[in-house]
């Protein structure tokens, strides 16, 4: 049957079980949009292409499925770059379709032409320019396959206008694509090594990361930790991969990790690092990171092994398959922990936790951001999907909201993209319309993609924005306070819109709390609404995120709230 | 760790942009390519890229791992410690003058250089060999007055699979 390129496009998306796309039309994709006009495929019209990619990204992180967007050529395509780089750093599966000028004009500097495959080469897992209609269906199929296989990532497909308008005999049974599934089963002989190392350990620790969530391995990780009483710390991307309310959970490690997590890392003699890549924000000084520990690293991507931290036993494999193998091996070989030793290690950690709990100075006059987050947890009973922007509010969320399930914390970890939270929340809410979806934002970040309030209002996507407004670019301000002699160069954001009025102008409910006593009322009202809401919490202006490991310092050297250094 | 020259042989699918992807992966991560050679293999849809780079063993392993991540890369092999033969080619143009005609002729005879084009005022010589041999020949040609040269990247082939 002869079909147009645009029809083939929709057919393949249907076969790939795509139920929603986020997009923005323009000249080069008008044929596609014309085809969408009579299609049942759900399309969300965003207000900026960066928002489309973040929304697809939020959808992907919350569902584990591939997120999809569609934008036009030239500026439409270049506007996706930040979103694509964000997904790439956190290994999020996306397929981004960009329009392109007709193939005959490519290279001529045609109107709205740009070499988007060239631009995105370093920030995609792979990309394609579809040069003729014959390869359209197989390219789209391959793009989805690449996005979700192995270590996932974003794939861009550039679609020239004439290719989409051409006709071709489409036969879905006759599409051949290359297979990119490598072998993800770990080497069996490594299990005995893990057994021996764990058996010799007096102070074992698990470090969980984004790879546990992407690999759907939370259940296995949780079982392993609980069965053998191994305490667990995690990276920002690992939050939710182990229950945040479990007594074995130590909270996040690293620059803004808990005191007890960082101390446990520094004192452990065995570390099982699962799906982590040892980012510099996590390790601090490499030389002193887990210096006493034998480290086992499990990762699907060989390039993550020994990249930053040299490990004793690398295991290349799918996190879930590997943890299953470890569990089986330990059981078959009757591993049991020495109860006395384990109790002693857990007591040591409990003492650190008692000495410096995660805390903040409560205040009856000024709203503390941590208080807002604690209240949010209490009122939602933790049953919410949370997105964040990047900065202080992101760290407070990571510290004070306890994520019990994977895929419930959606945040830009690697790239650290401001403006991520609101559009990502829109994507999450589209996937889970019956769930409470909250975007925790800062006043700097929210202004980077605030136009997406219009998207939320148009489709009544009832996301709730919790704005922790300190009228500062808070994290740079904190660094200026600590490392730049309080010279607050260009971080004061006092000049800002009235966010309540702005929300209302977009057709979104705007609420404000200026005193601690108002926090609960505003949150209750905002959470109860079945419309999108922006809640403007005017928080303490100079609150800092503690503990803090100084950049490049050892993670057992932390500045705490009251400023004393603790060793 | 000790920095060393390494010869990396990469098999790739002969797809658009594949060279840009390989080169960009190295450049973007801050690694240098010292020489490069690319052509198809006996299969038209598969190309071989031979490149030389330098770094510690850890750096080279990182480079190999980064390249392996590319969708169009089939295999990556470090030939440095594998028994293999290495060749480069250089084309050299010498301008002929009344003064150098005799010494040039003598040098060509002595060194058995292959003259591939010979004009009234110029000669083009082709030299193949491993890096050391090429350097040796270039040093001998230098005093004769080299007008221009073009040098290929290194190609390498292992003695066994």
């Amino acid at each position: 049957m002869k079909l147009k390129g645009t029809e083939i496009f929709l057919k393949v998306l249907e076969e790939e079980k795509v139920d929603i796309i986020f997009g923005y039309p323009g000249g080069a994709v008008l044929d596609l949009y014309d085809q969408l006009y009579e299609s049942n495929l759900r399309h969300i019209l965003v207000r900026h292409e960066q928002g489309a990619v973040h929304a697809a990204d939020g959808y992907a992180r919350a569902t584990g499925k591939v997120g999809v967007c569609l934008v036009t050529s030239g500026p439409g395509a270049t506007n996706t770059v930040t979103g694509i780089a964000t997904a790439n750093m956190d290994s999020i599966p996306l397929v981004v379709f960009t329009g392109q000028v007709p193939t005959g004009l490519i290279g001529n500097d045609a109107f709205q032409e740009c070499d988007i495959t060239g631009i995105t080469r370093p920030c995609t897992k792979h990309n394609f320019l579809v040069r003729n209609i014959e390869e359209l269906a197989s390219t789209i199929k391959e793009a989805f396959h690449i996005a979700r296989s192995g270590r996932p990532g974003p794939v861009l497909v550039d679609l020239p206008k004439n290719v989409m308008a051409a006709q071709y005999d489409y036969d879905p049974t006759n599409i051949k694509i290359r297979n990119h599934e490598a072998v993800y089963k770990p080497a069996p002989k490594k299990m005995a090594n893990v057994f021996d190392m764990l058996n010799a350990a007096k102070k074992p620790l698990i470090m969980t990361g984004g790879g546990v969530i992407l690999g759907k391995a939370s259940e296995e990780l949780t079982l392993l930790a609980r069965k053998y009483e191994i305490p667990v710390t995690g990276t920002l991307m690992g939050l939710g991969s182990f229950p945040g309310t479990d007594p074995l959970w130590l909270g996040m490690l690293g620059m803004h990790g808990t005191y007890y997590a960082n101390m446990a890392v520094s004192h452990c003699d065995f570390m099982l690092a699962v799906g982590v890549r040892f980012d510099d924000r996590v390790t601090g000084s490499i030389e002193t990171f887990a210096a006493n520990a034998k480290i086992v690293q499990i990762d699907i991507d060989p390039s993550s092994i020994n990249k930053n931290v040299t490990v004793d036993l690398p295991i290349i494999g799918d996190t879930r398959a590997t943890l299953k193998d470890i569990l089986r091996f330990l059981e078959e070989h009757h591993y049991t922990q020495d109860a006395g030793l384990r109790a002693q290690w857990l007591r040591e950690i409990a003492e650190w936790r008692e000495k410096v709990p995660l805390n903040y100075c409560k205040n009856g006059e000024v709203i503390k951001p941590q208080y807002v987050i604690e209240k949010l947890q209490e009122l939602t009973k933790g049953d919410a999907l949370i997105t964040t922007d990047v900065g202080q509010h992101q760290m407070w969320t990571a510290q004070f909201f306890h994520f019990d399930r994977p895929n419930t914390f959606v945040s830009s970890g690697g790239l650290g993209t401001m403006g991520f939270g609101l559009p990502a929340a829109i994507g999450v809410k589209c996937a889970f319309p019956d769930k409470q979806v909250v975007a925790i934002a800062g006043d700097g970040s929210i202004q980077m993609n605030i136009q997406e309030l219009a998207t939320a209002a148009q489709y009544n996507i009832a996301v709730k924005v919790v704005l922790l407004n300190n009228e500062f670019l808070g994290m740079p301000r904190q660094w200026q306070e600590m490392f730049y002699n309080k010279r607050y160069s260009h971080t004061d954001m006092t000049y800002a819109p009235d966010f309540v009025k702005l929300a209302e102008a977009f057709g979104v409910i705007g609420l404000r709390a200026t005193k601690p006593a108002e926090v609960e009322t505003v949150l209750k009202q905002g959470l109860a609404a079945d419309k999108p809401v922006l809640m403007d919490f005017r928080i303490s202006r100079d609150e800092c995120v503690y503990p803090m490991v100084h950049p490049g310092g050892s993670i057992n050297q932390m500045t705490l709230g009251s400023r004393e250094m603790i060793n | 760790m000790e920095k060393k020259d390494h010869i990396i042989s990469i098999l790739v699918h002969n797809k658009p942009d594949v060279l840009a992807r390989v080169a960009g992966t190295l450049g973007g991560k801050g690694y240098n390519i010292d020489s490069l050679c690319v052509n198809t293999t006996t299969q038209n849809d598969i190309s071989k890229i031979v490149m030389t780079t330098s770094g510690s063993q850890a750096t080279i392993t990182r480079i190999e791992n980064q390249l392996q991540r590319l969708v169009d890369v089939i295999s990556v092999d470090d030939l440095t410690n594998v028994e293999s033969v290495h060749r480069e080619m250089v084309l050299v143009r010498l301008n002929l003058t009344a003064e150098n005609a005799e010494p040039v002729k003598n040098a060509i005879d002595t060194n058995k250089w292959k003259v591939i084009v010979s004009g009234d005022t110029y000669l083009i010589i082709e030299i193949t060999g491993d890096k050391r041999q090429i350097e040796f020949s270039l040093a001998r040609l230098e005093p004769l007055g080299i007008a221009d040269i073009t040098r290929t990247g290194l190609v390498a082939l292992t003695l066994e699979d």
Side-chain angles (χ1 to χ4, degrees):
Chain A
M1 189 175 45
K2 281 240 187 273
L3 289 181
K4 271 180 70 184
T6 53
E7 292 172 288
I8 295 173
F9 173 86
L10 284 179
K11 286 255 183 239
V12 179
L13 256 54
E14 197 180 313
E15 280 162 31
E16 292 294 327
K17 300 190 172 56
V18 174
D19 53 13
I20 189 167
I21 64 175
F22 303 88
Y24 202 99
V29 286
L30 282 180
D31 294 83
L32 269 167
Y33 271 86
D34 191 58
Q35 201 70 50
L36 278 174
Y37 195 62
E38 55 196 40
S39 156
N40 292 324
L41 179 61
R42 192 172 172 209
H43 175 277
I44 302 292
L45 173 68
V46 295
R47 295 304 188 268
H48 186 291
E49 290 89 349
Q50 186 188 347
V53 188
H54 290 330
D57 181 322
Y59 173 91
R61 289 182 203 236
T63 60
K65 296 195 273 187
V66 179
V68 183
C69 23
L70 171 62
V71 302
T72 192
S73 64
T78 55
N79 276 346
T80 64
V81 170
T82 301
I84 293 171
T86 303
N88 195 49
M89 282 287 264
D90 291 342
S91 307
I92 305 304
L94 297 183
V95 175
V96 178
F97 293 102
T98 51
Q100 182 56 278
V101 301
T103 46
L105 289 182
I106 291 177
N108 282 11
D109 295 336
F111 177 65
Q112 294 196 327
E113 180 194 350
C114 84
D115 173 14
I116 195 63
T117 48
I119 290 172
T120 58
R121 211 177 282 132
C123 64
T124 49
K125 184 174 174 190
H126 195 61
N127 60 25
F128 296 96
L129 167 62
V130 182
R131 286 159 198 272
N132 53 62
I133 182 90
E134 291 80 6
E135 60 193 43
L136 176 65
S138 61
T139 304
I140 298 174
K141 278 213 163 275
E142 193 170 348
F144 276 90
H145 172 60
I146 292 170
R148 64 167 82 94
S149 65
R151 178 178 179 172
V155 179
L156 181 138
V157 184
D158 205 16
L159 304 169
K161 194 172 159 89
N162 59 320
V163 171
M164 300 316 284
Q167 297 217 335
Y168 185 61
D169 243 334
Y170 173 66
D171 176 6
T173 59
N174 192 26
I175 297 173
K176 290 190 180 64
I177 63 166
R178 291 182 285 164
N179 182 22
H180 302 282
E181 289 290 348
V183 179
Y184 300 130
K185 276 291 278 177
K189 63 175 193 292
K190 302 237 172 168
M191 297 306 131
N193 301 129
V194 175
F195 180 97
D196 291 341
M197 288 163 82
L198 184 58
N199 207 25
K202 296 187 174 77
K203 300 176 175 189
L205 181 68
I206 293 173
M207 172 177 170
T208 177
V212 174
I213 293 171
L214 291 165
K216 300 181 173 63
S218 293
E219 209 182 305
E220 287 74 16
L221 185 116
T222 306
L223 183 62
L224 179 72
R226 284 180 174 163
K227 189 168 179 186
Y228 301 114
E229 290 180 287
I230 307 171
V232 185
T233 181
T235 65
L236 183 76
M237 299 310 297
L239 296 182
S241 61
F242 183 80
T245 49
D246 192 291
L248 288 167
W249 175 246
L250 309 183
M252 188 170 69
L253 79 162
M255 183 172 275
H256 293 297
T258 63
Y259 174 75
Y260 36 100
N262 285 343
M263 293 306 277
V265 169
S266 300
H267 287 78
C268 70
D269 61 2
F270 170 81
M271 175 185 271
L272 182 66
V274 194
V276 302
R277 58 186 177 85
F278 297 106
D279 180 271
D280 54 281
R281 285 290 192 272
V282 162
T283 60
S285 152
I286 293 282
E287 287 71 36
T288 54
F289 179 81
N292 305 314
K294 294 265 183 230
I295 303 177
V296 177
Q297 184 184 4
I298 303 170
D299 206 284
I300 198 162
D301 180 0
S303 78
S304 289
I305 306 268
N306 288 340
K307 184 171 67 176
N308 300 324
V309 169
T310 308
V311 302
D312 300 278
L313 178 68
I315 304 179
I316 293 159
D318 169 75
T319 47
R320 182 153 179 232
T322 309
L323 288 172
K324 270 184 191 295
D325 282 3
I326 291 176
L327 277 165
R328 193 179 311 120
F329 194 95
L330 293 178
E331 188 162 322
E332 279 169 7
H333 293 79
H334 311 292
Y335 169 77
T336 46
Q337 67 274 35
D338 181 320
L341 279 176
R342 194 57 49 87
Q344 200 181 324
W345 170 226
L346 292 174
R347 200 157 51 239
E348 199 175 340
I349 293 173
E351 279 165 17
W352 288 318
R353 198 193 289 255
E354 234 165 83
K355 185 174 164 195
V356 188
L358 194 59
N359 217 338
Y360 62 96
C361 295
K362 297 185 176 58
N363 190 309
E365 296 301 312
V366 194
I367 300 176
K368 288 300 184 94
Q370 303 93 333
Y371 174 71
V372 178
I373 293 165
E374 282 180 340
K375 273 286 159 200
L376 179 66
Q377 170 115 36
E378 185 189 313
L379 294 172
T380 58
K381 300 184 181 68
D383 186 18
L385 292 131
I386 307 288
T387 73
T388 73
D389 278 313
V390 170
Q392 288 184 313
H393 68 275
Q394 179 192 32
M395 292 298 110
W396 286 318
T397 304
Q399 292 176 330
F400 289 90
F401 201 98
H402 306 299
F403 297 92
D404 271 335
R405 285 173 301 112
N407 308 94
T408 57
F409 174 63
V410 171
S411 189
S412 165
L415 196 67
T417 306
M418 290 170 72
F420 174 81
L422 172 59
I426 289 173
V428 175
K429 186 72 178 176
C430 287
F432 296 103
D434 300 329
K435 287 275 181 195
Q436 192 69 259
V437 178
V438 181
I440 300 179
D443 52 304
S445 286
I446 193 71
Q447 292 185 66
M448 284 210 185
N449 269 323
I450 195 147
Q451 77 285 349
E452 299 309 329
L453 284 178
T455 309
Q458 178 185 341
Y459 299 96
N460 195 28
I461 301 166
V463 295
K464 311 296 162 66
V465 178
V466 168
L467 178 59
L468 300 175
N469 183 353
N470 57 6
E471 300 182 333
F472 269 122
L473 295 176
M475 193 58 95
R477 191 211 67 84
Q478 175 170 341
W479 283 50
Q480 288 168 338
E481 178 186 322
M482 296 172 79
F483 311 125
Y484 293 91
N485 295 322
K486 304 192 178 182
R487 287 153 55 87
Y488 298 121
S489 179
H490 303 279
T491 46
D492 191 315
M493 298 286 277
T494 316
Y495 188 88
D498 178 327
F499 286 104
V500 171
K501 281 189 186 162
L502 186 63
E504 286 166 353
F506 274 113
V508 165
I509 298 169
L511 302 170
R512 178 173 290 132
T514 53
K515 294 200 165 47
E518 297 163 356
V519 168
E520 188 164 336
T521 321
V522 165
L523 274 175
K524 273 186 177 162
Q525 202 183 334
L527 292 171
D530 55 5
K531 288 181 64 178
V533 182
L534 187 148
M535 295 164 258
D536 180 18
F537 295 94
R538 311 306 293 262
I539 62 164
S540 153
R541 290 204 74 197
D542 54 4
E543 189 74 11
C544 286
V545 184
Y546 295 115
M548 181 171 189
V549 176
H550 291 205
S554 298
I555 63 165
N556 60 356
Q557 307 265 317
M558 288 160 270
T559 302
L560 304 169
S562 51
R563 289 301 155 79
E564 76 275 34
M565 294 281 278
I566 289 205
N567 284 301
Chain B
M1 246 190 287
E2 189 197 357
K3 268 187 113 176
K4 236 180 99 177
D5 288 340
H6 286 257
I7 302 161
I8 316 277
S9 178
I10 311 156
L11 275 186
V12 297
H13 291 289
N14 196 0
K15 293 275 180 185
D17 293 352
V18 66
L19 180 61
R21 289 180 205 279
V22 168
T25 297
L26 293 174
K29 306 272 178 195
Y31 305 122
N32 207 26
I33 299 173
D34 297 327
S35 96
L36 188 67
C37 230
V38 195
N39 217 326
T40 52
T41 59
T42 49
Q43 288 168 269
N44 274 337
D45 56 348
I46 293 179
S47 286
K48 188 184 267 187
I49 298 175
V50 179
M51 71 174 206
T52 58
T53 182
S54 68
S56 64
Q57 191 52 52
T59 303
I60 300 301
T61 304
R62 268 199 286 272
I63 289 176
E64 289 180 75
N65 285 336
Q66 290 295 342
L67 289 173
Q68 288 281 13
R69 284 181 71 181
L70 296 177
V71 164
D72 285 330
V73 167
I74 301 163
S75 66
V76 183
D77 292 297
D78 183 358
L79 303 186
T80 314
N81 298 319
V82 182
E83 275 203 295
S84 52
V85 288
H86 309 153
R87 285 291 179 274
E88 288 179 37
M89 183 196 280
V90 62
L91 299 179
V92 182
R93 193 177 75 235
L94 296 176
N95 287 340
L96 294 177
T97 59
E99 292 77 46
N100 75 354
E102 196 57 28
V104 165
K105 191 180 172 305
N106 292 340
I108 289 170
D109 290 344
T110 319
N111 295 289
K112 298 189 171 59
W113 287 328
K114 185 172 163 192
V115 177
I116 51 172
V117 184
S118 168
D120 291 341
T121 56
Y122 63 88
L123 282 176
I124 293 183
I125 295 170
E126 172 195 314
I127 299 161
T128 56
D130 62 20
K131 192 180 172 123
R132 196 185 51 82
Q133 289 164 325
I134 299 271
E135 300 288 351
F136 179 80
S137 295
L138 286 177
R140 300 219 146 184
L141 279 158
E142 189 66 51
L144 300 171
I146 296 175
D148 200 3
I149 69 165
T150 290
R151 191 168 170 178
T152 67
L154 178 138
V155 291
L157 195 63
T158 55
L159 302 193
E160 289 167 15
D161 278 336

